[in-house]
Amino acid sequence: MQSRYSRWLGGISHFLIITFFAVLPLMSEEKTTEQRVSDLEKQVEDTGKKVEQIDDKIGKMLELLQKSATTPTPSVAKAEPVAATPAPAAPEKSDAAPAKKTVKYAPGALMDFWVLTDAESVGDVPTRRSLVTIVDDKKLFEGRRYRSEPSIKCNYDQRMGACWRGYLRIKEAGEHSFSADFTQGGTGYRYGAAYVKIEDTTQHLWKAINNKSYGSWAASTPFNLTLELGLYKIEVWMGCLNAYDSGSLSSLSLDLKMRGPSDRTLRSLTAEDIVHEE
């Protein structure tokens, strides 16, 4: 009985041992898997803590940046110069073109008078300033016109010259015929001269000079010019160098005649044909 019981116990022991060793690997493997799971959970937990720490740091950094942006930077005061003189304001520039001056013209020519010296040529207008300038809007180119100017009354008997300047008004384009008729009256020895000059702004068109030395004389100089519509400068000069009797310039006169493209005959130019700037 005892041996059978011993054998039974031994069999049971042997069975338990075999079972233990058979189950042991499974238990060992199951424990390893749990440990791995535990390790992964721990790693996840650690990673989460690190992420939270990083978030905290980022949040603090953003908070600092916001504070620095909203806090005004203290400005450094600049020293102002004592009794500083303000700079003059620069003139405003304008792209607009300057307004053109409106030129008005009045009938007649401007007439200048000179007392001639022995050194001055009777055929040229003096370069010095004239004694007086008047507007001649009556019968043009009469030497005796100077006697109507009271400011030069004391010079009436001097050797004098007169120059008319203005603009010849051309109202019809085409070829124009002119005739300059010079006359010197009276008796005695004198040396008179006269000329007419017509020109535009770019070129000299015509100039005629007539000189006589004694007594009465008359000379006519015809010429033709092709002119466009507009104004042309005109200059008429008359002078008398030697005067043995009074009023020598008053003996000189010029009748300037013109025939336009539509005219049949010559006509004397008047103050309506020769104008001056006001």
Side-chain angles (χ1 to χ4, degrees):
M1 290 288 295
Q2 187 175 3
S3 75
R4 288 179 64 184
Y5 181 72
S6 298
R7 285 197 299 270
W8 182 75
L9 288 175
I12 293 173
S13 299
H14 182 70
F15 174 76
L16 291 174
I17 291 170
I18 293 173
T19 303
F20 172 78
F21 282 103
V23 175
L24 182 61
L26 295 175
M27 293 177 63
S28 176
E29 183 179 355
E30 183 178 356
K31 185 177 181 181
T32 302
T33 302
E34 291 178 355
Q35 188 172 359
R36 289 179 178 175
V37 172
S38 177
D39 293 341
L40 289 174
E41 290 178 350
K42 187 176 180 181
Q43 290 178 0
V44 171
E45 184 179 357
D46 294 341
T47 302
K49 291 180 178 179
K50 291 180 178 180
V51 170
E52 290 179 357
Q53 293 175 356
I54 293 173
D55 289 340
D56 291 340
K57 291 181 179 180
I58 292 175
K60 292 179 180 179
M61 291 175 66
L62 291 175
E63 185 177 355
L64 291 174
L65 290 174
Q66 290 178 353
K67 288 182 178 181
S68 63
T70 55
T71 302
T73 303
S75 58
V76 179
K78 294 183 178 180
E80 295 292 337
V82 179
T85 302
E92 295 183 359
K93 293 183 179 180
S94 175
D95 295 333
K100 292 183 178 180
K101 179 182 176 181
T102 301
V103 180
K104 294 183 179 181
Y105 297 94
L110 297 179
M111 184 179 182
D112 287 276
F113 300 98
W114 290 265
V115 173
L116 302 178
T117 66
D118 293 337
E120 290 174 328
S121 170
V122 69
D124 296 314
V125 178
T127 57
R128 55 189 169 86
R129 186 173 176 82
S130 64
L131 286 176
V132 66
T133 301
I134 67 172
V135 176
D136 187 3
D137 54 1
K138 297 179 171 51
K139 185 178 180 180
L140 299 176
F141 315 131
E142 294 286 332
R144 62 177 176 269
R145 179 75 170 85
Y146 78 96
R147 287 183 172 270
S148 64
E149 176 52 41
S151 65
I152 57 173
K153 185 176 181 179
C154 293
N155 305 112
Y156 283 171
D157 295 334
Q158 301 293 320
R159 294 173 290 183
M160 298 191 70
C163 182
W164 290 259
R165 293 187 178 96
Y167 296 90
L168 173 62
R169 192 193 303 272
I170 299 299
K171 300 179 180 179
E172 184 180 8
E175 186 177 11
H176 290 68
S177 299
F178 292 87
S179 180
D181 301 338
F182 301 97
T183 302
Q184 177 175 288
T187 60
Y189 183 83
R190 65 192 63 187
Y191 191 80
Y195 74 75
V196 174
K197 181 168 64 175
I198 300 174
E199 61 183 343
D200 61 11
T201 57
T202 59
Q203 60 180 329
H204 166 72
L205 298 178
W206 185 82
K207 179 178 179 180
I209 296 179
N210 284 276
N211 296 322
K212 294 290 181 179
S213 60
Y214 183 79
S216 299
W217 54 267
S220 179
T221 304
F223 58 95
N224 286 53
L225 294 174
T226 300
L227 305 174
E228 300 295 331
L229 296 178
L231 298 176
Y232 292 80
K233 288 183 178 180
I234 185 170
E235 181 177 292
V236 175
W237 162 259
M238 291 190 298
C240 193
L241 189 58
N242 296 309
Y244 293 110
D245 55 355
S246 63
S248 59
L249 181 61
S250 62
S251 67
L252 299 179
S253 65
L254 180 148
D255 185 11
L256 182 59
K257 302 174 183 178
M258 180 182 74
R259 179 191 179 190
S262 299
D263 298 330
R264 289 182 177 271
T265 60
L266 292 165
R267 64 178 181 85
S268 297
L269 295 179
T270 68
E272 296 297 325
D273 300 298
I274 298 178
V275 297
H276 66 278
E277 293 185 16
E278 290 185 329

